């Protein structure tokens, strides 16, 4: 049985962490929670990787991670950085290393310089006696090139020596914990002791981000609550394999949402499995919507719309809600500079008189469309007051024009003067 833990809104406080700067993007401390993503292209394919990094960045990913698994990928990173700089795209690039990272960073100084952060998994930097030295070599490169590091442990590649020692100790205990609890403890200890080793080598705490990746929501919540109790390192949240479609979205939203509600987490990622050939942009949108729903950040105007029922046999409100959301999304790249603050706009498109007027009053601007058998008029509410009544076949176009006018008046250049 899962124990429920209720947190009052007034209790929510960001977990105190060190602030890490990654190519001008602050992570941790009092900085906003940052959205991350990762490419799935072959990093050696410079053009494809550049295009995907660009796509993710323009969609709102504030940090993008790329795989650096061989010499060709190592050589490709500097070229990708050159293309990004050429086009004025100041996206922080993170290199994801496994097994041979110490070699690649040593043999390709242009790689070590081009990356803005190194991601190191202490469970697979090496084996046996080589492990400590190879971890040390990667930290030394981070210090040499003044780069922050994410120490990311993963339950799929956990330090087996540490896990075995904890399992053995647990087996001798009078009150042994479950295997899952021991696994969680191994993740926490691996992350923190690795960070402490990095500090011992000379990397400062404000150059370290920790992550502990698992694929089950309850494990993620438990592990990060322990990390937050025992350390002040900046924390990156993410299920290691969230899954496909609605399952992946729900798992991400539940696990990360609970932690963010607790004030835990400085960067987040939604590790969604895309459809074959599908875009990676969805994982960026999920993170943005999660932060916006929790009221932690605003990225784009939101449309509230009712789900529909027997009172709303017309599809007009569904079509209008979709059109308005598409219109807002399309215009946002232009509006970001033209209308500061517009990302916090809330629009309501409701389908009948039951909840329509009330919901529309709570929005900045909202419309209540007529349901089945209702008078064919659509009242429009602006800032909580009825301001217009629309009729006829052009309700959608007229409401869109009202939304545009509202944005201009509230967020345009003359708005502050008028206020």
């Amino acid at each position: 049985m899962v124990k429920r833990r209720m947190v009052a809104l007034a209790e929510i406080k960001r977990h105190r962490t060190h602030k890490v700067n990654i190519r001008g993007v602050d992570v941790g401390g009092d900085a906003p929670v940052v959205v991350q993503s990762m490419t799935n292209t072959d990093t050696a394919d410079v053009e494809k990787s550049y295009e995907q990094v660009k796509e993710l960045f323009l969609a709102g990913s504030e940090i993008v991670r790329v795989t650096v698994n061989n010499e060709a990928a190592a050589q490709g990173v500097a070229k990708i950085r050159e293309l990004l700089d050429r086009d004025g795209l100041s996206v922080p690039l993170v290199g994801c290393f496994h097994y041979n990272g110490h070699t690649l960073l040593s043999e390709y100084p242009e790689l070590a310089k081009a990356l803005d952060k190194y991601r190191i998994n202490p469970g697979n930097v090496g084996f046996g006696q080589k492990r400590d030295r190879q971890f040390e070599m990667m930290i030394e490169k981070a210090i040499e090139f003044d780069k922050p590091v994410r120490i990311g442990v993963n339950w799929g590649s956990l330090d087996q020596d540490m896990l075995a020692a904890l399992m053995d100790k647990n087996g001798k205990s009078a009150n042994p914990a479950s295997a899952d609890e021991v696994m969680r403890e191994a993740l926490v200890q691996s992350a923190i002791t690795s960070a402490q080793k990095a500090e011992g080598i000379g990397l400062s705490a404000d150059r370290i981000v920790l992550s502990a990746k698992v694929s089950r929501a309850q494990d993620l919540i438990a592990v990060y609550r322990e990390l937050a109790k025992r350390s002040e390192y900046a924390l990156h949240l993410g299920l290691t394999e969230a899954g496909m479609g609605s399952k992946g979205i729900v798992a991400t939203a539940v696990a990360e949402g609970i932690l963010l509600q607790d004030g835990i987490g400085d960067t987040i990622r939604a590790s969604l499995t895309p459809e074959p050939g599908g875009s990676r942009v969805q994982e960026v949108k999920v993170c943005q919507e999660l932060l916006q729903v929790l009221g932690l950040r605003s990225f784009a105007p939101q449309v509230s719309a009712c789900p529909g029922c027997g009172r709303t046999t017309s599809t007009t409100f569904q079509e209008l809600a979709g059109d308005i959301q598409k219109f807002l999304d399309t215009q946002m790249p232009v509006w970001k500079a033209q209308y500061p603050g517009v990302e916090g706009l809330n629009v309501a498109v409701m389908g009948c008189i039951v909840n329509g007027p009330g919901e529309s009053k709570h929005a900045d601007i909202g419309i209540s469309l007529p349901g089945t058998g209702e008078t064919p008029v659509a009242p429009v509410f602006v800032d909580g007051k009825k301001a217009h009544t629309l009729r006829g076949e052009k309700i959608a176009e007229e409401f869109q024009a009202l939304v545009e006018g509202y944005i201009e008046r509230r967020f345009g250049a003359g708005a502050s003067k008028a206020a």
Side-chain angles (χ1 to χ4, degrees):
M1 177 69 72
V2 176
K3 292 182 180 178
R4 296 190 177 182
R5 181 175 183 269
M6 301 300 290
V7 181
L9 206 58
E11 296 175 11
I12 297 173
K13 222 172 175 182
R14 284 291 298 282
H15 167 60
R16 183 183 171 193
T17 61
H18 298 289
K19 184 183 288 186
V20 182
N21 187 271
I22 306 169
R23 196 183 179 87
V25 175
D26 285 332
V27 170
D30 58 357
V33 180
V34 172
V35 174
Q36 287 199 41
S37 61
M38 184 175 182
T39 60
N40 62 355
T41 55
D42 180 354
T43 310
D45 189 330
V46 172
E47 193 59 37
K48 280 188 178 179
S49 296
Y50 159 73
E51 289 296 337
Q52 192 172 71
V53 171
K54 177 181 177 181
E55 179 187 33
L56 291 167
F57 180 61
L58 293 179
S61 181
E62 294 156 305
I63 297 174
V64 178
R65 184 157 52 111
V66 298
T67 298
V68 189
N69 58 333
N70 54 40
E71 293 184 356
Q75 293 169 338
V77 168
K79 296 174 184 175
I80 294 168
R81 179 77 269 166
E82 287 177 10
L83 292 176
L84 292 167
D85 291 343
R86 178 199 68 187
D87 293 340
L89 302 171
S90 188
V91 51
L93 280 184
V94 179
C96 190
F97 294 101
H98 299 282
Y99 306 111
N100 58 353
H102 61 291
T103 300
L104 296 175
L105 286 169
S106 298
E107 294 183 356
Y108 295 93
E110 66 275 20
L111 163 70
K113 183 179 179 181
L115 288 171
D116 299 297
K117 184 174 73 171
Y118 309 156
R119 192 271 190 172
I120 304 172
N121 182 343
N124 59 25
V125 294
F127 302 97
Q129 296 180 347
K130 293 181 179 180
R131 179 188 293 118
D132 289 346
R133 178 54 192 149
Q134 291 174 183
F135 176 81
E136 185 178 81
M137 288 171 67
M138 296 185 75
I139 298 299
E140 288 171 348
K141 286 300 173 184
I143 295 169
E144 178 184 348
F145 288 92
D146 191 24
K147 305 293 182 178
V149 165
R150 168 149 74 97
I151 295 175
V153 299
N154 190 306
W155 73 345
S157 52
L158 192 55
D159 182 336
Q160 293 302 303
D161 291 340
M162 174 179 283
L163 180 60
L166 286 174
M167 286 289 189
D168 184 57
K169 182 179 178 181
N170 183 62
K172 296 174 182 177
S173 171
N175 297 296
S178 69
D180 280 350
E181 288 172 320
V182 177
M183 176 76 79
R184 293 170 182 171
E185 178 61 23
L187 284 164
V188 172
Q189 286 195 25
S190 178
I192 293 176
T193 58
S194 296
Q196 290 170 342
K197 284 179 185 176
E199 285 197 72
I201 296 166
L203 190 66
S204 63
D206 64 358
R207 304 300 273 163
I208 298 172
V209 179
L210 292 188
S211 68
K213 294 293 193 75
V214 296
S215 58
R216 297 188 307 218
Q218 292 293 350
D219 290 315
L220 192 83
I221 294 163
V223 166
Y224 274 87
R225 282 178 174 164
E226 283 302 308
L227 282 175
K229 283 180 187 176
R230 302 190 207 177
S231 77
E232 292 185 0
Y233 298 108
L235 299 176
H236 169 72
L237 304 184
L239 290 165
T240 188
E241 293 122 358
M244 297 184 69
S246 60
K247 183 268 178 185
I249 294 171
V250 170
T252 297
V254 169
E256 296 182 19
I258 287 172
L259 289 167
L260 290 168
Q261 186 82 342
D262 283 352
I264 298 169
D266 301 296
T267 74
I268 64 170
R269 182 188 173 205
S271 299
L272 305 178
T273 304
E275 296 292 334
S279 171
R280 300 283 272 189
V281 165
Q282 187 184 29
E283 67 177 54
V284 178
K285 297 301 182 187
V286 167
C287 287
Q288 289 180 328
E289 289 176 10
L290 174 56
L291 293 174
Q292 188 144 345
V293 164
L294 288 172
L296 296 175
R297 293 185 66 182
S298 293
F299 296 94
Q302 298 291 293
V303 175
S304 300
C306 70
C309 66
R311 295 180 59 89
T312 56
T313 52
S314 168
T315 60
T316 303
F317 80 95
Q318 298 166 331
E319 293 162 359
L320 180 57
D323 289 345
I324 291 294
Q325 185 67 70
K326 185 177 180 181
F327 166 68
L328 296 173
D329 291 343
T330 302
Q331 292 298 109
M332 268 307 292
V334 177
W335 287 347
K336 279 182 181 178
Q338 192 175 1
Y339 300 119
V342 70
E343 63 274 5
L345 179 72
N346 185 31
V347 180
V349 179
M350 305 304 294
C352 80
I353 201 170
V354 174
N355 293 316
E359 290 287 348
S360 296
K361 287 177 184 178
H362 287 303
D364 295 309
I365 180 168
I367 185 171
S368 180
L369 294 163
T372 305
E374 293 177 6
T375 305
V377 297
V380 175
F381 297 83
V382 176
D383 294 330
K385 297 179 181 179
K386 183 177 176 181
H388 307 276
T389 300
L390 304 182
R391 297 178 176 85
E393 297 180 356
K394 295 188 177 181
I395 287 178
E397 294 91 330
E398 291 173 5
F399 181 64
Q400 184 168 304
L402 290 173
V403 172
E404 286 190 82
Y406 178 83
I407 290 170
E408 169 62 33
R409 289 192 306 277
R410 179 172 170 185
F411 302 104
S416 58
K417 295 178 183 177

